[in-house]
Coordinates of all heavy atoms in Angstrom, one line a residue:
L12 N -18.4 -54.3 7.4 CA -18.1 -53.3 6.3 C -18.7 -52.0 6.6 O -18.1 -50.9 6.4 CB -18.7 -53.9 5.0 CG -18.1 -55.2 4.5 CD1 -18.9 -55.6 3.2 CD2 -16.6 -55.0 4.2
R13 N -20.0 -52.0 7.2 CA -20.6 -50.7 7.5 C -19.9 -49.9 8.5 O -20.0 -48.7 8.6 CB -22.1 -51.0 7.9 CG -23.0 -51.5 6.8 CD -23.1 -50.4 5.7 NE -24.0 -50.8 4.6 CZ -24.3 -50.1 3.6 NH1 -23.6 -49.0 3.4 NH2 -25.1 -50.5 2.7
A14 N -19.2 -50.6 9.4 CA -18.4 -49.8 10.4 C -17.4 -48.9 9.8 O -17.1 -47.9 10.5 CB -17.7 -50.8 11.4
G15 N -17.0 -49.1 8.6 CA -16.0 -48.3 7.9 C -16.7 -47.2 7.1 O -16.0 -46.4 6.5
D16 N -18.0 -47.1 7.1 CA -18.7 -46.1 6.3 C -18.9 -44.8 7.0 O -18.8 -44.7 8.3 CB -20.1 -46.6 5.9 CG -20.1 -47.7 4.8 OD1 -19.0 -47.8 4.2 OD2 -21.1 -48.3 4.6
Y17 N -19.1 -43.7 6.3 CA -19.4 -42.4 6.8 C -21.0 -42.3 6.9 O -21.7 -43.0 6.1 CB -18.8 -41.3 6.0 CG -17.3 -41.2 6.1 CD1 -16.5 -41.9 5.1 CD2 -16.7 -40.6 7.1 CE1 -15.1 -41.8 5.2 CE2 -15.3 -40.5 7.2 CZ -14.5 -41.1 6.3 OH -13.2 -41.1 6.4
P18 N -21.5 -41.4 7.7 CA -23.0 -41.3 7.8 C -23.7 -41.1 6.5 O -24.8 -41.6 6.3 CB -23.2 -40.1 8.8 CG -22.0 -40.2 9.6 CD -20.9 -40.6 8.7
H19 N -23.1 -40.3 5.6 CA -23.8 -40.0 4.3 C -23.9 -41.2 3.4 O -24.7 -41.1 2.5 CB -23.1 -38.8 3.6 CG -21.8 -39.2 3.0 ND1 -20.6 -39.1 3.7 CD2 -21.5 -39.7 1.8 CE1 -19.6 -39.5 2.9 NE2 -20.1 -39.9 1.8
Q20 N -23.2 -42.2 3.7 CA -23.2 -43.4 2.9 C -24.4 -44.4 3.3 O -24.6 -45.4 2.7 CB -21.9 -44.2 3.0 CG -20.8 -43.4 2.3 CD -19.4 -44.1 2.5 OE1 -18.8 -44.1 3.6 NE2 -18.9 -44.7 1.4
L21 N -25.1 -44.0 4.4 CA -26.2 -44.9 4.9 C -27.5 -44.2 4.6 O -27.6 -43.0 4.5 CB -26.0 -45.1 6.4 CG -24.7 -45.6 6.9 CD1 -24.7 -45.7 8.4 CD2 -24.4 -47.0 6.3
S22 N -28.5 -45.0 4.5 CA -29.9 -44.5 4.4 C -30.4 -43.9 5.7 O -29.7 -44.1 6.7 CB -30.8 -45.7 4.0 OG -31.0 -46.6 5.0
G23 N -31.5 -43.2 5.7 CA -32.0 -42.6 6.9 C -32.3 -43.7 7.9 O -32.1 -43.5 9.1
G24 N -32.9 -44.8 7.5 CA -33.3 -45.8 8.5 C -32.0 -46.5 9.1 O -32.0 -46.8 10.3
M25 N -31.0 -46.6 8.3 CA -29.7 -47.2 8.8 C -29.0 -46.2 9.8 O -28.4 -46.6 10.8 CB -28.8 -47.6 7.7 CG -29.3 -48.8 6.9 SD -28.3 -49.4 5.6 CE -26.9 -50.1 6.4
R26 N -29.1 -44.9 9.4 CA -28.5 -43.9 10.3 C -29.2 -44.0 11.7 O -28.6 -43.8 12.7 CB -28.6 -42.5 9.7 CG -27.6 -42.3 8.6 CD -27.4 -40.8 8.3 NE -28.6 -40.2 7.8 CZ -28.9 -40.1 6.5 NH1 -28.1 -40.5 5.6 NH2 -30.1 -39.5 6.2
Q27 N -30.5 -44.1 11.6 CA -31.3 -44.1 12.9 C -30.9 -45.4 13.7 O -30.8 -45.3 14.9 CB -32.8 -44.1 12.6 CG -33.7 -43.9 13.8 CD -33.5 -42.5 14.4 OE1 -32.4 -42.1 14.9 NE2 -34.5 -41.7 14.4
R28 N -30.6 -46.5 13.0 CA -30.2 -47.7 13.7 C -28.8 -47.5 14.4 O -28.6 -48.0 15.5 CB -30.2 -48.9 12.8 CG -31.5 -49.4 12.3 CD -31.4 -50.4 11.2 NE -32.8 -50.7 10.7 CZ -33.5 -51.7 11.1 NH1 -33.1 -52.4 12.1 NH2 -34.7 -51.9 10.6
V29 N -28.0 -46.7 13.7 CA -26.6 -46.4 14.3 C -26.8 -45.6 15.5 O -26.1 -45.8 16.6 CB -25.7 -45.7 13.3 CG1 -24.5 -45.2 13.9 CG2 -25.4 -46.6 12.1
V30 N -27.7 -44.6 15.5 CA -28.0 -43.8 16.7 C -28.5 -44.6 17.8 O -28.1 -44.4 19.0 CB -28.9 -42.6 16.3 CG1 -29.3 -41.8 17.5 CG2 -28.3 -41.7 15.3
I31 N -29.4 -45.6 17.5 CA -29.9 -46.5 18.5 C -28.8 -47.3 19.1 O -28.7 -47.5 20.3 CB -31.0 -47.4 18.0 CG1 -32.2 -46.5 17.6 CG2 -31.4 -48.4 18.9 CD1 -33.3 -47.3 16.8
A32 N -27.9 -47.8 18.3 CA -26.7 -48.6 18.7 C -25.9 -47.8 19.7 O -25.4 -48.3 20.7 CB -25.9 -49.1 17.5
M33 N -25.6 -46.5 19.3 CA -24.8 -45.6 20.2 C -25.5 -45.4 21.5 O -24.9 -45.4 22.6 CB -24.5 -44.3 19.5 CG -23.7 -44.4 18.3 SD -23.5 -42.9 17.4 CE -22.5 -41.9 18.5
A34 N -26.8 -45.2 21.5 CA -27.6 -44.9 22.7 C -27.6 -46.1 23.7 O -27.6 -46.0 24.9 CB -29.0 -44.5 22.4
L35 N -27.6 -47.3 23.1 CA -27.7 -48.6 23.9 C -26.4 -49.3 24.1 O -26.4 -50.4 24.7 CB -28.7 -49.5 23.2 CG -30.1 -48.9 23.0 CD1 -31.0 -50.0 22.4 CD2 -30.7 -48.4 24.3
A36 N -25.3 -48.7 23.6 CA -24.0 -49.4 23.7 C -23.6 -49.9 25.1 O -23.1 -51.0 25.3 CB -22.9 -48.5 23.1
C37 N -23.9 -49.0 26.1 CA -23.5 -49.3 27.4 C -24.6 -49.9 28.3 O -24.5 -49.9 29.5 CB -22.9 -48.1 28.1 SG -21.3 -47.5 27.3

């Protein structure tokens, strides 16, 4: 469900987790 959200719909901690996911994806 969260994959369909926009950044403003997430808390600061969850946005940071998304950034970590992007950094470690590969």
Side-chain angles (χ1 to χ4, degrees):
L12 298 177
R13 289 299 185 182
D16 285 347
Y17 291 95
H19 72 271
Q20 295 176 285
L21 305 179
S22 67
M25 290 180 71
R26 285 197 296 266
Q27 192 66 296
R28 289 171 188 269
V29 172
V30 173
I31 293 172
M33 294 175 69
L35 302 184
C37 295

